[in-house]
mmCIF file of all heavy atoms in Angstrom:
data_model
loop_
_atom_site.group_PDB
_atom_site.id
_atom_site.type_symbol
_atom_site.label_atom_id
_atom_site.label_comp_id
_atom_site.label_asym_id
_atom_site.label_seq_id
_atom_site.Cartn_x
_atom_site.Cartn_y
_atom_site.Cartn_z
ATOM 1 N N GLN A 8 0.281 2.414 -0.463
ATOM 2 C CA GLN A 8 1.106 3.612 -0.466
ATOM 3 C C GLN A 8 0.449 4.579 0.455
ATOM 4 O O GLN A 8 -0.800 4.793 0.468
ATOM 5 C CB GLN A 8 1.144 4.158 -1.946
ATOM 6 C CG GLN A 8 1.956 5.452 -2.101
ATOM 7 C CD GLN A 8 2.183 5.801 -3.548
ATOM 8 O OE1 GLN A 8 2.041 4.942 -4.370
ATOM 9 N NE2 GLN A 8 2.390 7.076 -3.771
ATOM 10 N N ASP A 13 4.757 15.329 3.368
ATOM 11 C CA ASP A 13 5.107 15.675 1.986
ATOM 12 C C ASP A 13 6.000 14.563 1.313
ATOM 13 O O ASP A 13 6.703 14.819 0.349
ATOM 14 C CB ASP A 13 5.820 17.022 1.878
ATOM 15 C CG ASP A 13 4.935 18.201 2.356
ATOM 16 O OD1 ASP A 13 3.753 18.094 2.137
ATOM 17 O OD2 ASP A 13 5.464 19.104 3.014
ATOM 18 N N VAL A 18 4.391 0.647 1.619
ATOM 19 C CA VAL A 18 4.488 -0.180 2.812
ATOM 20 C C VAL A 18 4.324 -1.671 2.408
ATOM 21 O O VAL A 18 3.377 -1.993 1.717
ATOM 22 C CB VAL A 18 3.408 0.222 3.866
ATOM 23 C CG1 VAL A 18 3.607 -0.558 5.143
ATOM 24 C CG2 VAL A 18 3.436 1.705 4.127
ATOM 25 N N LEU A 22 3.022 -11.887 6.293
ATOM 26 C CA LEU A 22 2.337 -12.481 7.421
ATOM 27 C C LEU A 22 2.916 -13.890 7.707
ATOM 28 O O LEU A 22 3.162 -14.678 6.806
ATOM 29 C CB LEU A 22 0.927 -12.582 7.176
ATOM 30 C CG LEU A 22 0.160 -11.307 6.839
ATOM 31 C CD1 LEU A 22 -1.331 -11.574 6.576
ATOM 32 C CD2 LEU A 22 0.296 -10.297 8.059
ATOM 33 N N GLN A 51 14.498 7.081 1.979
ATOM 34 C CA GLN A 51 14.407 6.567 3.370
ATOM 35 C C GLN A 51 13.802 5.102 3.375
ATOM 36 O O GLN A 51 12.958 4.805 2.623
ATOM 37 C CB GLN A 51 13.507 7.464 4.252
ATOM 38 C CG GLN A 51 14.012 8.894 4.354
ATOM 39 C CD GLN A 51 13.123 9.633 5.299
ATOM 40 O OE1 GLN A 51 13.078 9.546 6.504
ATOM 41 N NE2 GLN A 51 12.326 10.491 4.633
ATOM 42 N N PRO A 68 11.834 2.095 18.104
ATOM 43 C CA PRO A 68 13.115 2.823 18.246
ATOM 44 C C PRO A 68 12.881 4.325 18.254
ATOM 45 O O PRO A 68 11.747 4.817 17.901
ATOM 46 C CB PRO A 68 13.819 2.331 16.939
ATOM 47 C CG PRO A 68 12.797 2.131 15.962
ATOM 48 C CD PRO A 68 11.673 1.597 16.746
ATOM 49 N N THR A 77 5.289 9.358 10.070
ATOM 50 C CA THR A 77 4.745 8.336 9.139
ATOM 51 C C THR A 77 4.213 7.118 9.827
ATOM 52 O O THR A 77 3.181 6.654 9.580
ATOM 53 C CB THR A 77 5.842 8.015 8.126
ATOM 54 O OG1 THR A 77 6.255 9.171 7.399
ATOM 55 C CG2 THR A 77 5.368 6.936 7.180
ATOM 56 N N GLN A 96 -6.342 -12.685 8.047
ATOM 57 C CA GLN A 96 -5.559 -13.358 7.032
ATOM 58 C C GLN A 96 -4.435 -14.250 7.610
ATOM 59 O O GLN A 96 -4.155 -15.353 7.107
ATOM 60 C CB GLN A 96 -4.891 -12.357 6.069
ATOM 61 C CG GLN A 96 -5.954 -11.618 5.169
ATOM 62 C CD GLN A 96 -5.321 -10.553 4.299
ATOM 63 O OE1 GLN A 96 -4.085 -10.433 4.299
ATOM 64 N NE2 GLN A 96 -6.109 -9.847 3.570
ATOM 65 N N ALA A 113 -7.392 -40.500 0.058
ATOM 66 C CA ALA A 113 -7.753 -41.897 0.132
ATOM 67 C C ALA A 113 -6.999 -42.766 -0.828
ATOM 68 O O ALA A 113 -6.772 -42.345 -1.938
ATOM 69 C CB ALA A 113 -9.284 -42.037 -0.078
ATOM 70 N N GLU A 116 -8.390 -43.225 -4.307
ATOM 71 C CA GLU A 116 -8.309 -42.089 -5.193
ATOM 72 C C GLU A 116 -6.869 -41.914 -5.739
ATOM 73 O O GLU A 116 -6.701 -41.476 -6.873
ATOM 74 C CB GLU A 116 -8.820 -40.897 -4.395
ATOM 75 C CG GLU A 116 -10.286 -40.955 -4.077
ATOM 76 C CD GLU A 116 -10.768 -39.756 -3.324
ATOM 77 O OE1 GLU A 116 -9.941 -39.046 -2.691
ATOM 78 O OE2 GLU A 116 -11.931 -39.569 -3.290
ATOM 79 N N VAL A 148 -9.549 -12.831 -12.975
ATOM 80 C CA VAL A 148 -8.991 -11.893 -13.934
ATOM 81 C C VAL A 148 -10.121 -11.295 -14.751
ATOM 82 O O VAL A 148 -11.198 -11.896 -14.919
ATOM 83 C CB VAL A 148 -8.016 -12.644 -14.840
ATOM 84 C CG1 VAL A 148 -8.774 -13.752 -15.663
ATOM 85 C CG2 VAL A 148 -7.251 -11.753 -15.812
ATOM 86 N N VAL A 181 -24.311 -16.720 -21.265
ATOM 87 C CA VAL A 181 -25.700 -16.617 -21.683
ATOM 88 C C VAL A 181 -26.188 -17.911 -22.230
ATOM 89 O O VAL A 181 -25.488 -18.458 -23.119
ATOM 90 C CB VAL A 181 -25.812 -15.438 -22.708
ATOM 91 C CG1 VAL A 181 -27.310 -15.399 -23.222
ATOM 92 C CG2 VAL A 181 -25.351 -14.207 -22.223
ATOM 93 N N ALA A 210 -18.753 -22.581 -22.787
ATOM 94 C CA ALA A 210 -19.690 -21.515 -23.049
ATOM 95 C C ALA A 210 -19.617 -21.053 -24.517
ATOM 96 O O ALA A 210 -18.587 -20.598 -24.973
ATOM 97 C CB ALA A 210 -19.287 -20.298 -22.181
ATOM 98 N N ARG A 221 -6.444 -16.164 -24.613
ATOM 99 C CA ARG A 221 -6.155 -14.750 -24.222
ATOM 100 C C ARG A 221 -6.452 -14.553 -22.754
ATOM 101 O O ARG A 221 -5.834 -13.754 -22.042
ATOM 102 C CB ARG A 221 -6.896 -13.751 -25.102
ATOM 103 C CG ARG A 221 -6.346 -13.721 -26.538
ATOM 104 C CD ARG A 221 -6.799 -12.414 -27.202
ATOM 105 N NE ARG A 221 -8.201 -12.314 -27.513
ATOM 106 C CZ ARG A 221 -8.814 -12.773 -28.574
ATOM 107 N NH1 ARG A 221 -8.133 -13.395 -29.546
ATOM 108 N NH2 ARG A 221 -10.125 -12.547 -28.697
ATOM 109 N N GLU A 236 3.768 -19.267 -7.731
ATOM 110 C CA GLU A 236 2.758 -19.877 -6.828
ATOM 111 C C GLU A 236 2.198 -21.150 -7.253
ATOM 112 O O GLU A 236 1.963 -22.077 -6.401
ATOM 113 C CB GLU A 236 1.611 -18.832 -6.640
ATOM 114 C CG GLU A 236 0.450 -19.243 -5.827
ATOM 115 C CD GLU A 236 0.798 -19.517 -4.382
ATOM 116 O OE1 GLU A 236 1.873 -19.194 -3.908
ATOM 117 O OE2 GLU A 236 -0.124 -20.149 -3.697
ATOM 118 N N ARG A 262 4.996 -52.259 0.136
ATOM 119 C CA ARG A 262 5.554 -51.929 -1.174
ATOM 120 C C ARG A 262 4.711 -52.471 -2.326
ATOM 121 O O ARG A 262 4.747 -51.881 -3.440
ATOM 122 C CB ARG A 262 7.006 -52.343 -1.300
ATOM 123 C CG ARG A 262 7.945 -51.700 -0.287
ATOM 124 C CD ARG A 262 9.396 -52.147 -0.505
ATOM 125 N NE ARG A 262 10.195 -51.541 0.499
ATOM 126 C CZ ARG A 262 10.842 -50.374 0.343
ATOM 127 N NH1 ARG A 262 10.592 -49.643 -0.736
ATOM 128 N NH2 ARG A 262 11.629 -49.873 1.230
ATOM 129 N N GLY A 269 1.280 -47.442 -8.588
ATOM 130 C CA GLY A 269 2.032 -46.805 -9.722
ATOM 131 C C GLY A 269 1.764 -47.293 -10.986
ATOM 132 O O GLY A 269 1.718 -46.645 -12.023
ATOM 133 N N SER A 278 -10.512 -34.871 -7.683
ATOM 134 C CA SER A 278 -10.808 -35.697 -6.619
ATOM 135 C C SER A 278 -11.643 -34.968 -5.556
ATOM 136 O O SER A 278 -11.382 -33.761 -5.337
ATOM 137 C CB SER A 278 -9.481 -36.152 -5.895
ATOM 138 O OG SER A 278 -9.723 -36.663 -4.611
ATOM 139 N N LYS A 295 -8.266 -46.780 15.531
ATOM 140 C CA LYS A 295 -7.761 -45.751 16.394
ATOM 141 C C LYS A 295 -8.122 -44.347 15.744
ATOM 142 O O LYS A 295 -8.365 -44.233 14.641
ATOM 143 C CB LYS A 295 -6.256 -45.889 16.497
ATOM 144 C CG LYS A 295 -5.714 -47.175 17.132
ATOM 145 C CD LYS A 295 -4.212 -47.230 17.180
ATOM 146 C CE LYS A 295 -3.689 -48.512 17.793
ATOM 147 N NZ LYS A 295 -2.199 -48.547 17.821
#
Side-chain angles (χ1 to χ4, degrees):
Q8 185 171 335
D13 298 325
V18 186
L22 301 177
Q51 299 180 75
T77 299
Q96 291 178 3
E116 292 177 341
V148 64
V181 179
R221 290 200 293 269
E236 175 62 12
R262 296 183 181 276
S278 165
K295 299 180 181 179

